[in-house]
Amino acid sequence: MNTRKYVKKKLVLKKSVRNFITRVLIVVIIFLVGMILVKSNSKAKNSILKQVYDTNFKFTKVKEIYQKYFGNILSIDKLALEDKQVFQEELTYQKSKSYLDGVKLQVNDNYMVPALESGIVIFMGEKEGYGNTIVIEQIDGIDVYYSNISSDGIKLYDYVEKGKLLGEAEDNQLYLVFQKDGSFLDYKKYI
């Protein structure tokens, strides 16, 4: 009886390893085909550059497509559900006022800005009307602009956890903008 269980477990493990290797090989083949297209076809190269650099590249879309066709290799969603606040301060402000596509918050002197949700940093730099900006694509697919902050510890494409310190608000003003699929969202639902 024990040998049957052992053989069954061994077969399940073998099948799991084979499925994992197959998925990895498929991803490698797709990547190599993409690289060959980029090297040999300037039209494909320009198209890929436009998709990645000019438009907002959606990591959540890539994750959805990968899960649809290949399933989960690692349970990233389970890890994401176990968010633990690293930086203990929550978003606090004295006044809020609509500003351009989002909200302008009046905050305390030397206010340290926490990430509202976990996600990937997809933009860092100046945004007209907002100043120095960090854009985070959250796990739920919403892009959040954190503007008018000074930041040294965050880099492009870093994964930041909910509550992580992003930087210090400048001039007691913090601008937040919420965007999903190219449409700006009402900030009142998120702060």
Side-chain angles (χ1 to χ4, degrees):
M1 193 70 162
N2 284 338
T3 57
R4 272 186 166 172
K5 285 184 181 180
Y6 175 75
V7 169
K8 189 174 182 178
K9 283 183 181 181
K10 192 173 179 179
L11 289 174
V12 168
L13 179 64
K14 200 177 207 180
K15 185 177 178 182
S16 296
V17 169
R18 192 174 342 168
N19 284 341
F20 175 77
I21 291 171
T22 303
R23 290 177 183 176
V24 169
L25 288 175
I26 290 171
V27 169
V28 168
I29 289 169
I30 291 170
F31 175 76
L32 290 174
V33 167
M35 294 307 296
I36 291 169
L37 280 174
V38 167
K39 280 295 221 181
S40 64
N41 188 338
S42 63
K43 193 173 185 180
K45 179 180 179 180
N46 291 336
S47 175
I48 290 172
L49 287 175
K50 182 178 180 187
Q51 289 297 320
V52 173
Y53 292 110
D54 293 343
T55 60
N56 193 0
F57 185 77
K58 296 287 185 186
F59 290 98
T60 52
K61 295 282 187 203
V62 172
K63 181 182 122 188
E64 289 170 8
I65 291 169
Y66 186 86
Q67 286 178 338
K68 179 180 177 184
Y69 292 106
F70 302 113
N72 281 342
I73 289 179
L74 300 174
S75 187
I76 293 172
D77 292 335
K78 287 182 182 175
L79 293 173
L81 292 176
E82 298 171 7
D83 277 344
K84 296 177 185 147
Q85 250 184 327
V86 179
F87 186 61
Q88 296 304 314
E89 189 171 349
E90 293 188 14
L91 183 66
T92 56
Y93 54 94
Q94 285 75 41
K95 288 192 256 179
S96 67
K97 179 180 168 185
S98 290
Y99 180 79
L100 299 177
D101 297 316
V103 63
K104 175 180 174 179
L105 302 176
Q106 178 148 4
V107 295
N108 293 330
D109 289 335
N110 304 321
Y111 181 70
M112 305 305 272
V113 180
L116 298 175
E117 290 293 330
S118 298
I120 295 174
V121 177
I122 60 171
F123 175 85
M124 291 185 74
E126 292 287 321
K127 288 259 186 203
E128 189 174 334
Y130 293 105
N132 191 41
T133 301
I134 296 173
V135 180
I136 296 177
E137 182 181 329
Q138 298 178 158
I139 288 177
D140 58 7
I142 296 174
D143 297 342
V144 180
Y145 295 43
Y146 298 87
S147 298
N148 200 39
I149 64 174
S150 61
S151 177
D152 294 328
I154 303 289
K155 294 183 222 94
L156 192 61
Y157 301 120
D158 276 355
Y159 177 80
V160 294
E161 294 185 14
K162 179 179 180 177
K164 180 177 171 122
L165 169 65
L166 299 177
E168 185 177 326
E170 297 175 353
D171 306 323
N172 298 355
Q173 302 294 323
L174 173 65
Y175 305 112
L176 295 176
V177 177
F178 300 87
Q179 182 181 24
K180 185 168 186 169
D181 298 328
S183 300
F184 293 103
L185 306 174
D186 183 13
Y187 67 89
K188 294 172 186 162
K189 295 179 183 179
Y190 301 101
I191 62 170

